[in-house]
Amino acid sequence: MSDVIIIGYGPAGVSASLYALRSGLDVVLVGKDSGALEKAHMIENYYGLEKPLAGSELFAVGKRQAQSLGAHIVDDEVTDLYFDGNMFVATGLAGEYRGRACIMATGSARKKQPLPKMAELEGHGVSYCAICDAFFYRGKNVAVLGAGEYALHECKELLNIAGSVTLLTNGAEVTAEFPETVKIEKRPLKALLGEGQLAGAVFMDESEIKLDGLFVALGSASAMDLARKAGAAFENGNVVLDKNFMTTVPGLFAAGDCTGGTLQVAVAVGEGAIAGLAAIKYLRETREG
């Protein structure tokens, strides 16, 4: 249990943690990896760097900086996020983390490539949250789009409710161990089917599968996935944020590449600072209230 849970320990997450830690708050930083920063060969366009620095090195320096100020750093993949009425609860593959405020700084989900019709069928058979929407598919045929641990988590949520659960990997190799009750379909997908309501999907070989629901769980849970699970509002496919990067859920913030826009370290650090300061203010006001 902490004052602030920060999901993601890249530039935005660490920047937010520095402000929160220096204000005396207890901070838990939960992250899976270094994300896009790891792929940056040399960073030169960042204030204060006399010499180019590899992205992986900058990432390591940031984690050490947060740790030196007292951050509790956990290596874990967060799959769920919700507010229980008192605390935000982030559920990972290795544990559960609770905090009075939460900052999502998971980076951008660059590898998510929606299928034709996916966007228009969101909310009409296409979902991003099994815990939120499984109830609507009692006894029905559903599928999960994905191939890893996040997809496994969503399948497990659906198995006790849906009539059948199929894993659609869209050509990707399975990287988690799925229950035998989950049918695994590895063929590449061409598009989704349905007018106004999901009816199924068509594979590249033109064969079809009938579906009542499709739960998207590609890669790891992104900030947008977690925001949906926590009940934050969306507009035109983007999470609604105020000037301090707080969502419509009080105490839930988003910062960095996950908010879209200019995907640069400098921007992520700035947004993290704003979100960190706003979280401090939010916690002080709620404590006084």
Side-chain angles (χ1 to χ4, degrees):
M1 188 176 297
S2 60
D3 293 312
V4 185
I5 307 168
I6 300 177
I7 306 173
Y9 42 36
V14 167
S15 177
S17 76
L18 299 180
Y19 286 87
L21 289 163
R22 286 176 62 85
S23 73
L25 296 177
D26 183 51
V27 176
V28 172
L29 272 168
V30 185
K32 180 188 175 187
D33 52 40
S34 57
L37 195 56
E38 182 72 31
K39 299 177 178 64
H41 177 59
M42 285 293 171
I43 296 175
E44 298 180 276
N45 56 340
Y46 187 68
Y47 179 81
L49 293 185
E50 292 182 315
K51 297 179 180 179
L53 196 64
S56 57
E57 188 176 351
L58 184 62
F59 170 75
V61 170
K63 283 183 70 176
R64 289 198 299 269
Q65 188 177 10
Q67 202 162 28
S68 70
L69 289 177
H72 180 52
I73 298 178
V74 182
D75 296 320
D76 197 0
E77 179 180 338
V78 174
T79 56
D80 273 316
L81 177 67
Y82 66 93
F83 186 69
D84 68 0
N86 295 300
M87 308 281 284
F88 286 96
V89 182
T91 304
L93 299 177
E96 188 176 86
Y97 316 95
R98 294 174 176 267
R100 295 190 297 119
C102 178
I103 300 173
M104 301 178 296
T106 58
S108 66
R110 290 176 171 85
K111 64 180 178 181
K112 292 193 175 181
Q113 298 179 357
L115 295 165
K117 285 199 172 187
M118 184 178 287
E120 64 186 78
L121 290 172
E122 287 183 1
H124 301 281
V126 173
S127 173
Y128 294 82
C129 179
I131 284 182
C132 310
D133 298 334
F135 175 82
F136 300 110
Y137 297 93
R138 288 174 295 172
K140 297 185 177 181
N141 300 321
V142 302
V144 173
L145 179 60
E149 293 287 350
Y150 181 35
L152 171 61
H153 178 275
E154 298 295 87
C155 284
K156 287 180 177 178
E157 291 292 338
L158 292 162
L159 279 173
N160 295 325
I161 299 173
S164 69
V165 179
T166 301
L167 180 73
L168 300 176
T169 75
N170 196 20
E173 287 301 314
V174 176
T175 59
E177 189 172 337
F178 288 80
E180 292 182 358
T181 46
V182 175
K183 179 182 177 182
I184 299 177
E185 179 55 76
K186 296 182 179 180
R187 286 179 293 169
L189 291 159
K190 184 177 181 180
L192 299 184
L193 300 172
E195 298 298 331
Q197 183 65 38
L198 178 73
V202 57
F203 296 99
M204 285 297 184
D205 61 9
E206 301 300 335
S207 62
E208 299 180 2
I209 179 174
K210 292 183 179 180
L211 297 170
D212 298 300
L214 176 69
F215 292 80
V216 182
L218 293 168
S220 303
S222 70
M224 300 304 98
D225 296 325
L226 297 175
R228 285 187 178 93
K229 293 172 185 289
F234 280 73
E235 189 173 283
N236 298 322
N238 298 312
V239 65
V240 176
L241 300 171
D242 67 13
K243 64 179 181 180
N244 293 315
F245 297 97
M246 186 162 74
T247 70
T248 54
V249 178
L252 178 63
F253 303 82
D257 285 5
C258 67
T259 66
T262 307
L263 307 181
Q264 294 292 309
V265 173
V267 175
V269 168
E271 290 187 3
I274 294 171
L277 289 168
I280 294 167
K281 182 180 179 182
Y282 166 80
L283 289 174
R284 285 176 176 169
E285 289 177 347
T286 53
R287 186 174 287 162
E288 292 171 359

